[in-house]
């Protein structure tokens, strides 16, 4: 590898939504940007979370200098507890981002060994042969940065997640000037957020939800429940301010909501007037006409506060007729069914429910739309452009947008996870792919779940399971009673008994036809029963249930 060349190795987030991770390598130094997770699709049965495959980083563990974080969303920090166990490198992030990281690492007992280094927008840090400048960007959470990374091959800009909010809630604007300054100096490559490339125009300012939220809080006949993402500190600030304006007090319910409010408030990033907060234990007795409650669980996560309130199973809070329930969050694709089921419960309780932008904006995105993405390209004017943070169609359309703008002097590179590219003085060259992909994790044990386990679960969900229980006399090898057949997810139809009787006959025959030696070797007899039953059941039902013979010695 030449000293003046730079490799970019996307390890996650290019081709799927979530688990963002990009590695940059020059000489013997590797810098990793973000370490995100994603929630699994329904077909990954029972998998809790999905993280990027970091085989490449493990193979080069002596070269990995640090992980630099752009902001604190799960799709950027969620994989840290799993990755740090393998690769304990320094982590750079802004104050709020690191506060969220600390909380996660503490839950996993990793905080004491972690090396966290706080940075701030406008500052620079040297990491190996790289110099990183942190550039302030606006997004749906606070303390977000883009990165300008000076490398031996030139400057690389990573946008992080951003939108260009001209009127941010905390008054701190998107740092257009620094992007422009780098554009003027000359930028080798821009890596940029593709999430909202399908939306024309500009993403509305976070402030745009104020009008409708105020209107609903003013008109509410009784208490108001508002649910948003617990990391949406700007949204939380607006709800607090609106509550104060309309003469209501505010309560916070849900662990992530309470935690994040505490963190942001402690850092002075959330202003709550004195005497404004209703204690959780007082919520039930407080005058409903003077109450606003921020509740976590906007995506109807099964154990979340809002889901439990919806079915009247929450200690602190319930929904009564004429209460107002407002969902101030995007409905993430895949969650529609559970969210609408939850809202149906609210409707049954005769709550006034608001969940979309039809009557005025209740939610705005935190990601740049097309005009902002064009402006980013025009400001940075990179030689190479790589769309990131999106499914393939979004990356493709972001590439098309870049061609249309014409601000890229070299090449637009459409990459997916694992597809390495080397930037040299002569040009950008695609290199051999590195191992990349999804790793499924069980959040309880932190253990990786093998592909074969998922295949088994899929199999179980489709064809069910059959457990024949056979009692055999240890000495005579004779069966002591009729085999029991326990089934789950298999044969619900009326001819079920007939098939199961047939299966018993198959087991009897298998045992009869086995010799004495086989009969006393449980391993052999189990396998013979499994094979014969499999053939029989497949013939009778054309299904392939998982068959797990159990032999009881009596
Ligand atoms: Zn984000
Ligand atoms: Zn993101």
């Amino acid at each position: 590898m030449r000293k003046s060349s730079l490799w970019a190795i996307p390890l996650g987030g290019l081709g799927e939504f979530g688990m963002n991770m990009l590695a940059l390598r020059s000489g013997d130094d590797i810098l990793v940007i973000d370490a995100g997770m994603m929630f699994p699709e329904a077909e990954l049965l029972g998998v809790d979370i999905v993280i990027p495959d970091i085989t490449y980083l493990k193979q080069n563990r002596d070269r990995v200098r640090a992980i630099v974080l752009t902001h604190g969303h799960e799709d950027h920090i969620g994989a840290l507890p799993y990755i740090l166990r393998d690769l304990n490198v320094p982590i750079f992030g802004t104050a709020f981002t690191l506060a969220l990281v600390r909380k996660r690492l503490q839950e996993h007992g990793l905080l004491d060994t972690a090396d966290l280094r706080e940075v701030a927008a406008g500052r620079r840090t040297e990491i190996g042969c790289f110099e990183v400048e942190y550039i302030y960007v606006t997004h749906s959470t606070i303390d977000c940065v883009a990165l300008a990374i000076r490398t031996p091959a030139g400057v690389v800009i990573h946008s992080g997640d951003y939108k260009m909010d001209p009127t941010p809630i905390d008054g701190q604007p998107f740092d257009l000037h620094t992007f422009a300054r780098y554009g003027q100096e000359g930028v080798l490559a821009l890596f940029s957020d593709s999430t909202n490339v399908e939306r024309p125009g500009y993403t509305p300012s976070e402030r745009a939800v104020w009008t409708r939220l105020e209107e609903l809080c003013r008109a509410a006949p009784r208490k108001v429940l508002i649910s948003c993402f617990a990391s949406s500190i700007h949204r939380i600030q607006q709800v607090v301010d609106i509550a104060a304006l309309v003469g209501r007090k505010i309560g916070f319910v849900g662990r992530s909501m309470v935690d994040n409010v505490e963190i942001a408030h402690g850092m002075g990033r959330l202003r709550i007037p004195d005497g404004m907060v209703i204690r959780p234990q007082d919520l039930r007795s407080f005058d409903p006409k003077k109450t606003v409650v921020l509740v976590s669980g906007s995506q109807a996560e099964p154990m979340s506060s809002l889901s439990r309130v919806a079915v009247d199973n929450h200690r602190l809070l319930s929904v009564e007729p004429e209460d107002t329930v407002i969902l101030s969050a995007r409905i993430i694709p895949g969650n529609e069914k559970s969210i609408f089921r939850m809202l149906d419960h609210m409707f049954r309780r005769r709550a006034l429910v608001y969940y979309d932008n039809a009557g005025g904006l209740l939610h705005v995105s935190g990601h740049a739309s097309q005009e902002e993405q064009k402006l980013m390209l025009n400001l940075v004017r990179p030689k190479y452009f790589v769309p990131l943070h999106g499914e393939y169609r979004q990356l493709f359309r972001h590439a098309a947008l870049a061609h249309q703008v014409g601000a890229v002097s070299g090449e637009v590179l459409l990459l997916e996870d694992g597809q390495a590219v080397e930037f040299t003085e002569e040009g950008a060259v695609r290199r051999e792919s590195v191992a990349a992909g999804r790793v499924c994790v069980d959040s309880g044990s932190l253990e990786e779940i093998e592909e074969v386990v998922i295949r088994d679960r899929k199999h179980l969900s489709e064809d069910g399971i059959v457990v024949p229980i056979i009692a055999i006399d240890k000495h005579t090898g004779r069966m002591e009673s009729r085999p029991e057949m326990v089934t789950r997810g298999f044969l619900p139809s009326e001819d079920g008994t007939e098939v199961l009787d047939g299966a018993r006959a198959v087991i009897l025959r298998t045992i009869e036809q086995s010799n004495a030696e086989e009969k006393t070797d449980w391993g052999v007899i189990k396998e013979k029963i499994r094979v014969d039953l499999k053939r029989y059941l497949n013939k009778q039902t054309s299904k392939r249930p998982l068959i797990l013979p159990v032999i009881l010695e009596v």
Side-chain angles (χ1 to χ4, degrees):
M1 186 176 288
R2 268 174 297 181
K3 260 229 133 60
S4 62
S5 87
L6 175 77
W7 287 52
I9 305 133
L11 294 174
L14 281 77
E16 70 261 297
F17 194 80
M19 61 174 227
N20 295 290
M21 185 181 241
L22 174 75
L24 296 179
R25 176 173 177 179
S26 187
D28 269 340
D29 293 319
I30 294 176
L31 178 75
V32 180
I33 301 166
D34 289 335
M37 55 154 277
M38 65 179 189
F39 291 105
E41 293 125 26
E43 66 242 37
L44 292 175
L45 303 153
V47 170
D48 295 309
I49 71 162
V50 179
I51 60 170
D53 183 340
I54 56 159
T55 306
Y56 175 79
L57 300 180
K58 286 197 248 177
Q59 284 164 350
N60 292 281
R61 62 171 70 245
D62 296 341
R63 300 189 171 94
V64 181
R65 301 287 165 249
I67 300 174
V68 179
L69 303 172
T70 58
H71 65 293
H73 277 151
E74 291 290 351
D75 60 323
H76 298 260
I77 67 165
L80 281 176
Y82 311 95
I83 289 171
L84 284 196
R85 293 191 315 158
D86 266 330
L87 208 70
N88 194 4
V89 297
I91 299 168
F92 291 79
T94 60
F96 185 70
T97 304
L98 287 191
L100 297 184
V101 168
R102 248 178 234 120
K103 203 176 71 171
R104 295 216 117 240
L105 295 183
Q106 192 155 32
E107 285 163 7
H108 290 92
L110 291 167
L111 189 53
D112 293 341
T113 51
D115 178 0
L116 305 180
R117 304 189 190 179
E118 191 175 313
V119 299
R123 294 290 179 77
R124 295 173 193 203
T125 47
E126 256 175 53
I127 301 169
C129 67
F130 305 107
E131 187 199 63
V132 183
E133 177 171 358
Y134 306 88
I135 311 174
Y136 191 82
V137 296
T138 44
H139 182 43
S140 47
T141 187
I142 55 171
D143 237 2
C144 306
V145 289
L147 309 172
I149 304 151
R150 208 171 285 280
T151 80
V155 173
V156 168
I157 292 197
H158 185 294
S159 75
D161 289 8
Y162 76 98
K163 72 176 184 182
M164 295 180 180
D165 193 335
T167 55
I169 298 301
D170 57 6
Q172 196 173 349
F174 182 96
D175 189 358
L176 289 166
H177 296 90
T178 300
F179 285 100
R181 173 163 59 76
Y182 277 105
Q184 220 148 36
E185 178 191 322
V187 169
L188 175 71
L190 168 67
F191 294 77
S192 183
D193 177 4
S194 310
T195 312
N196 275 351
V197 70
E198 289 156 323
R199 298 193 191 178
Y202 293 90
T203 301
S205 168
E206 170 62 28
R207 242 172 243 277
V209 300
W210 177 283
T211 316
R212 180 68 168 153
L213 286 178
E214 185 193 332
E215 189 180 288
L216 291 176
C217 287
R218 241 183 233 291
R222 282 177 48 92
K223 74 175 177 290
V224 182
L225 274 67
I226 301 182
S227 190
C228 66
F229 288 108
S231 58
S232 302
I233 305 301
H234 300 309
R235 191 71 47 87
I236 295 169
Q237 181 70 66
Q238 294 196 83
V239 171
V240 169
D241 293 347
I242 288 169
L245 187 69
V246 304
R248 288 174 181 252
K249 295 203 187 298
I250 190 133
F252 303 98
V253 168
R255 197 173 138 216
S256 58
M257 184 65 75
V258 171
D259 284 355
N260 286 8
V261 164
E262 237 171 58
I263 291 173
H265 187 245
M267 295 171 57
R269 298 299 303 267
L270 186 65
R271 300 174 313 274
I272 306 175
D274 287 342
M276 175 84 188
V277 178
I278 310 168
R279 293 188 308 173
Q281 61 269 36
D282 297 339
L283 274 171
R284 280 191 185 275
S285 54
F286 206 82
D287 180 1
K289 291 191 174 66
K290 297 221 169 301
T291 305
V292 174
V293 192
L294 271 162
V295 193
S296 54
S298 65
Q299 300 304 303
E301 300 89 339
M303 292 309 289
S304 70
S305 294
L306 197 62
S307 299
R308 283 185 289 148
V309 170
V311 294
D312 201 16
N313 182 25
H314 199 283
R315 199 164 45 91
L316 305 169
L317 195 60
S318 59
V319 166
E320 314 293 335
E322 301 251 282
D323 279 349
T324 299
V325 175
I326 301 170
L327 198 68
S328 178
R330 180 169 94 102
I331 294 180
I332 293 177
N335 296 345
E336 297 93 341
K337 272 214 170 104
S338 22
I339 291 175
F340 288 128
R341 210 181 303 128
M342 173 178 79
L343 294 181
D344 280 347
H345 286 294
M346 301 292 191
F347 276 105
R348 277 193 197 98
R349 297 183 185 284
R350 297 292 178 265
L352 313 169
V353 188
Y354 303 90
Y355 54 93
D356 59 24
N357 285 340
L361 291 180
L362 284 177
H363 172 67
V364 293
S365 172
H367 295 275
S369 298
Q370 283 174 9
E371 294 305 317
E372 293 149 277
Q373 291 170 333
K374 287 182 197 169
L375 183 52
M376 176 66 88
L377 284 157
N378 275 323
L379 285 173
V380 174
R381 291 183 302 199
K383 187 163 180 198
Y384 300 102
F385 173 60
V386 183
L388 46 76
H389 206 288
E391 292 176 6
Y392 192 78
R393 70 175 192 290
Q394 295 160 331
L395 304 181
F396 187 94
R397 291 192 61 177
H398 203 184
L401 192 78
H403 281 296
Q404 188 199 333
V405 171
V408 178
S409 60
E411 204 181 331
V412 175
L413 295 158
L414 199 51
L415 303 180
E416 287 188 87
D417 294 348
Q419 296 176 348
V421 61
E422 183 182 5
F423 300 101
T424 65
E425 269 147 44
E426 289 83 54
V429 191
R430 281 168 190 268
R431 296 295 181 196
E432 202 179 320
S433 291
V434 309
R438 307 188 296 184
V439 172
C440 301
V441 177
D442 179 80
S443 67
S445 64
L446 288 190
E447 291 304 326
E448 196 174 304
I449 300 173
E450 303 275 342
E451 198 64 32
V452 56
V453 175
I454 293 162
R455 215 179 310 131
D456 278 354
R457 288 177 182 174
K458 192 161 181 201
H459 194 95
L460 280 173
S461 77
E462 282 165 4
D463 287 352
I465 181 167
V466 174
V467 182
I469 301 170
I470 303 134
I472 294 184
D473 186 302
K474 193 161 47 177
H475 305 292
T476 62
R478 254 208 307 272
M479 211 156 35
E480 285 302 300
S481 58
R482 236 161 67 96
E484 290 265 350
M485 302 291 285
V486 178
T487 68
R488 290 287 181 273
F490 174 72
L491 273 189
S493 60
E494 67 261 49
D495 60 345
T497 27
E498 204 175 302
V499 174
L500 290 185
D501 279 340
R504 285 193 187 90
V506 170
I507 296 171
L508 287 175
R509 199 162 52 238
T510 305
I511 292 175
E512 265 165 34
Q513 288 167 359
S514 304
N515 64 31
E517 239 173 314
E518 284 176 318
K519 278 187 214 170
T520 49
D521 186 329
W522 299 158
V524 172
I525 201 83
K526 272 191 203 170
E527 184 58 15
K528 285 186 76 172
I529 290 171
R530 203 184 61 77
V531 169
D532 290 349
L533 264 189
K534 185 173 147 191
R535 194 180 306 125
Y536 169 78
L537 292 175
N538 188 26
K539 205 168 141 201
Q540 296 295 315
T541 67
S542 65
K543 284 190 176 175
R544 294 176 170 278
L546 198 66
I547 300 168
L548 295 173
V550 172
I551 295 186
L552 299 175
E553 288 180 20
V554 288

